[in-house]
Amino acid sequence: DAGPPLPRGKVDFSRAAAFDSFVDPAVPAMVDISVARPWTEDLDTVAERRRKMIENIATAMFNRRLQRLVNAPDSALFGAAMYVQDQKDAARISSVRITAKDDSWKQALNAAEQEVRGALEHGFTARELKTQLADTETDLRTAAEQANTRRNQGLASSILSVIGEKKFVTTPAYRYEQFKAAAPSITTAEINAAFRTLWAGSAPLVHLSAKQDVPVQQLASAFAASRAVAVAAPKEAAAQAFAYDSFGAPGTVAADQRVADLGLRTVRFANNVRLNLKKTDFEAGRVRFLIRLGDGLLDLP
């Protein structure tokens, strides 16, 4: 007979905000802010998949904002991402993690706290939604087009992921059609409501990893100071023209050879740049590329 459910513990959703840190010379400066809300076992229905789709789009839109912070000139941030975790029978947890230069943990903390609060207070824009819907549509369409060249490992993983769960494995084509049917009715109001749900629940749990010790009270004070800063609504960025439509004069081919038994074409240009091409049927509709610069292993002692 099956044994009883494992004791997974309980999450105290009414606990006060908490702060903690981890110190090690080998770790980068990393800030995590998390909130938890009750976990529920939702049936795998079309309506539930649409709800999850909205959550995923909201998360992706927020991650796009974080990436702009990372890419800004002279940014002290190395990486940033929001993610949502389901801890079965315990909690659903929303977190944002930002990695920064060693002495820039306060910038990371401020960015994480203020970006979340800014999205909660002011929401997302119609242009942000349009951009994300286009990206999502491309990803799902590409997956559907490449369905017949998926790898065995990926297929097996998708099957294993639903064992013991009330969920179904569906094809990439089905998921693409499901998205196309839902996309026209998705609104910014729905996205904003989903984002607020993701960040509702317990008081925040704030964790800092750093090379040098930061007293917990100092971390708590920095978080409180950040929350006192007013956050402005996002500015609509002007549409940008594609910047990479001209690459100058084509290079001169000095040699162009084929290796028949390997199905390989190798091209050498006059400036000694080498290009190797090989066509396979491993993946449909996809080009993979690898660029090597310098002298490779010859540069090593």
Side-chain angles (χ1 to χ4, degrees):
D1 295 336
L6 293 174
R8 298 178 184 270
K10 294 184 180 299
V11 175
D12 181 6
F13 300 105
S14 62
R15 63 181 293 174
F19 301 85
D20 206 347
S21 63
F22 173 77
V23 179
D24 191 281
V27 303
M30 185 182 301
V31 172
D32 288 85
I33 300 177
S34 304
V35 299
R37 59 196 181 283
W39 180 86
T40 56
E41 187 171 19
D42 301 310
L43 296 178
D44 191 5
T45 63
V46 171
E48 173 60 17
R49 288 202 178 192
R50 187 185 191 283
R51 187 190 69 79
K52 291 293 292 183
M53 181 191 305
I54 298 298
E55 281 191 357
N56 292 338
I57 291 172
T59 301
M61 290 167 67
F62 184 72
N63 279 331
R64 190 180 294 273
R65 288 188 177 185
L66 293 177
Q67 196 58 47
R68 286 200 296 268
L69 293 179
V70 173
N71 293 341
D74 301 321
S75 173
L77 311 181
F78 291 147
M82 172 187 165
Y83 52 95
V84 181
Q85 293 177 302
D86 268 11
Q87 300 291 344
K88 188 174 180 179
D89 294 335
R92 283 186 168 140
I93 302 172
S94 297
S95 303
V96 60
R97 169 176 292 177
I98 294 187
T99 306
K101 296 178 180 179
D102 289 340
D103 57 350
S104 301
W105 66 267
K106 282 188 179 180
Q107 288 94 317
L109 178 69
N110 293 343
E113 189 279 323
Q114 291 172 25
E115 282 298 316
V116 170
R117 186 157 46 88
L120 291 174
E121 291 183 10
H122 302 291
F124 296 94
T125 67
R127 178 169 288 176
E128 286 178 300
L129 176 57
K130 181 180 179 181
T131 300
Q132 190 56 50
L133 288 176
D135 270 11
T136 303
E137 193 274 339
T138 299
D139 291 342
L140 292 172
R141 172 168 44 82
T142 302
E145 292 171 349
Q146 298 175 352
N148 289 335
T149 53
R150 286 174 291 171
R151 299 190 176 197
N152 293 336
Q153 180 179 357
L155 290 167
S157 295
S158 64
I159 295 170
L160 290 172
S161 69
V162 301
I163 291 179
E165 304 287 339
K166 297 177 181 178
K167 297 179 180 178
F168 299 94
V169 176
T170 52
T171 66
Y174 175 87
R175 296 192 291 274
Y176 179 42
E177 292 300 321
Q178 189 181 40
F179 170 81
K180 288 198 296 182
S185 64
I186 297 175
T187 64
T188 53
E190 195 173 15
I191 294 293
N192 292 336
F195 189 81
R196 293 185 184 105
T197 298
L198 289 173
W199 286 96
S202 69
L205 307 176
V206 182
H207 188 273
L208 169 66
S209 298
K211 286 181 168 59
Q212 296 181 338
D213 184 35
V214 176
V216 170
Q217 186 54 50
Q218 184 179 349
L219 178 61
S221 297
F223 185 76
S226 177
R227 296 191 72 168
V229 175
V231 289
K235 295 181 180 179
E236 280 280 23
Q240 298 288 321
F242 189 66
Y244 305 100
D245 56 359
S246 177
F247 296 94
T252 302
V253 175
D256 188 348
Q257 299 176 321
R258 296 178 185 269
V259 183
D261 58 336
L262 297 179
L264 185 70
R265 179 183 179 186
T266 177
V267 180
R268 179 171 59 82
F269 293 88
N271 59 0
N272 212 34
V273 170
R274 313 290 180 105
L275 170 66
N276 298 319
L277 296 166
K278 180 177 175 64
K279 183 176 181 179
T280 78
D281 57 3
F282 298 154
E283 295 176 299
R286 177 175 298 216
V287 174
R288 291 189 178 272
F289 61 90
L290 174 65
I291 299 175
R292 291 190 177 97
L293 302 176
D295 296 320
L297 295 177
L298 295 179
D299 271 343
L300 298 178

